[in-house]
Amino acid sequence: MIKLGSLLSVLAVLVGCSEKPPVAEHDANIYQTAVYFNSLRPKEDRRDDAQRKPAEILAFAGVEPGMKVIDLLGGGGWYTELLAAVVGDEGHVYLANTPLFLHFTQPQMEARLSNNRLKNVTRVDGEWTQMNLPEEVDLIWLSLAYHDIYVKRPNDPSFEADRDSFFEQIKTALKPGGMILVIDHAATSGTGKEAAQTLHRIDEEFARADFESEGFVFVKSLDILRNPADDYTKDIWAKDIMNKTDKFIFLFQKPMQ
């Protein structure tokens, strides 16, 4: 007999995969192809497409075949899968995690990379102060993790970032003219970094100024993940707001010199 929980899990996957692609396969661009017509992509990943809108964000970031990309603090590699499909055989993706992210997502990450199923992906583990990032990369993808560099974790120092070291490492990793995409949960305007500690959110004005203070040039923003109904007083893990938070998306560039 099939247990109810198992049946519901199967149904959830099927429902998540039942949404019709927005374009026909022969009309799809490289981003839509990677998201909707990628036979290698795990079915369970597709459940989040509607709320994460990956094809649009990949296009916004300008990911191209042949690029060298870091999925920084990418956890289980949900975006790694898509980035790998877009950059193709001539490109490469580095899935980089610190102990904090490995603690929560290592089984998912290892399953994704098992048996060399993503041949153009390299796993990179490192400490916050030595993330072992490659250099001369075209793009750094930083999704829903930037706020974590401001969370104090006195009970486990290996989980706590060093802000200055973090920025120094990403500047070293990016080639001149390289880009960094930042997606994060918005906090109340004017609160700076204080909401990161308790609500896992960060003020977008603070975020922009933070990257600009390190020499990055703001290029553009995308409002596709905005939710004006979000309650900024709630933790992002609150049941009624989880996966529905208001999110900002910024693209920055490292200067040519």
Side-chain angles (χ1 to χ4, degrees):
M1 178 179 293
I2 300 176
K3 292 184 178 180
L4 178 59
S6 299
L7 178 59
L8 290 176
S9 297
V10 171
L11 288 174
V13 171
L14 292 174
V15 169
C17 298
S18 64
E19 185 174 344
K20 185 178 179 180
V23 294
E25 186 170 3
H26 58 80
D27 292 326
N29 59 35
I30 58 173
Y31 313 110
Q32 293 165 332
T33 298
V35 173
Y36 301 111
F37 305 106
N38 179 357
S39 62
L40 295 179
R41 191 177 181 219
K43 289 184 173 68
E44 56 269 24
D45 280 11
R46 302 175 190 272
R47 288 178 292 178
D48 293 332
D49 288 346
Q51 55 102 356
R52 298 184 79 164
K53 305 187 186 305
E56 293 88 342
I57 300 175
L58 288 162
F60 170 79
V63 186
E64 296 180 355
M67 272 189 168
K68 190 176 175 182
V69 180
I70 300 172
D71 187 2
L72 183 57
L73 310 177
W78 192 90
Y79 262 117
T80 297
E81 186 90 26
L82 298 173
L83 291 165
V86 176
V87 303
D89 294 340
E90 300 301 315
H92 206 85
V93 179
Y94 298 86
L95 175 52
N97 283 302
T98 61
L100 172 65
F101 291 84
L102 290 173
H103 176 74
F104 293 105
T105 64
Q106 186 164 339
Q108 300 95 303
M109 180 265 294
E110 290 179 344
R112 189 179 299 279
L113 301 183
S114 65
N115 300 316
N116 196 32
R117 61 175 296 274
L118 296 177
K119 295 179 174 57
N120 60 345
V121 173
T122 297
R123 171 182 172 177
V124 179
D125 299 347
E127 302 296 326
W128 278 107
T129 54
Q130 189 174 353
M131 294 188 287
N132 300 316
L133 304 180
E135 297 185 9
E136 292 294 307
V137 303
D138 299 287
L139 172 69
I140 292 177
W141 192 279
L142 182 58
S143 178
L144 306 180
Y146 158 66
H147 68 271
D148 281 299
I149 71 171
Y150 289 109
V151 178
K152 300 299 181 184
R153 305 179 190 273
N155 294 331
D156 195 334
S158 71
F159 283 9
E160 185 173 323
D162 178 282
R163 182 262 181 206
D164 292 342
S165 173
F166 176 83
F167 273 105
E168 188 61 35
Q169 289 178 80
I170 63 174
K171 284 189 287 186
T172 299
L174 273 177
K175 73 179 188 180
M179 300 287 189
I180 179 165
L181 178 89
V182 181
I183 307 172
D184 221 324
H185 309 276
T188 301
S189 179
T191 57
K193 60 185 179 181
E194 68 180 50
Q197 186 68 42
T198 55
L199 304 177
H200 306 284
R201 300 173 176 268
I202 198 153
D203 176 8
E204 63 193 275
E205 296 168 358
F206 171 86
R208 176 171 172 172
D210 201 20
F211 278 85
E212 290 179 329
S213 73
E214 291 294 330
F216 291 100
V217 177
F218 178 78
V219 177
K220 56 183 177 178
S221 63
L222 181 66
D223 292 338
I224 200 169
L225 299 183
R226 305 303 324 212
N227 178 13
D230 186 10
D231 183 348
Y232 287 175
T233 68
K234 291 186 176 180
D235 187 301
I236 64 166
W237 301 111
K239 182 178 292 188
D240 60 338
I241 201 63
M242 188 169 62
N243 298 326
K244 301 175 186 176
T245 58
D246 183 35
K247 301 176 185 70
F248 60 88
I249 306 172
F250 291 158
L251 189 67
F252 297 94
Q253 184 173 37
K254 178 179 174 178
M256 293 299 296
Q257 295 183 347

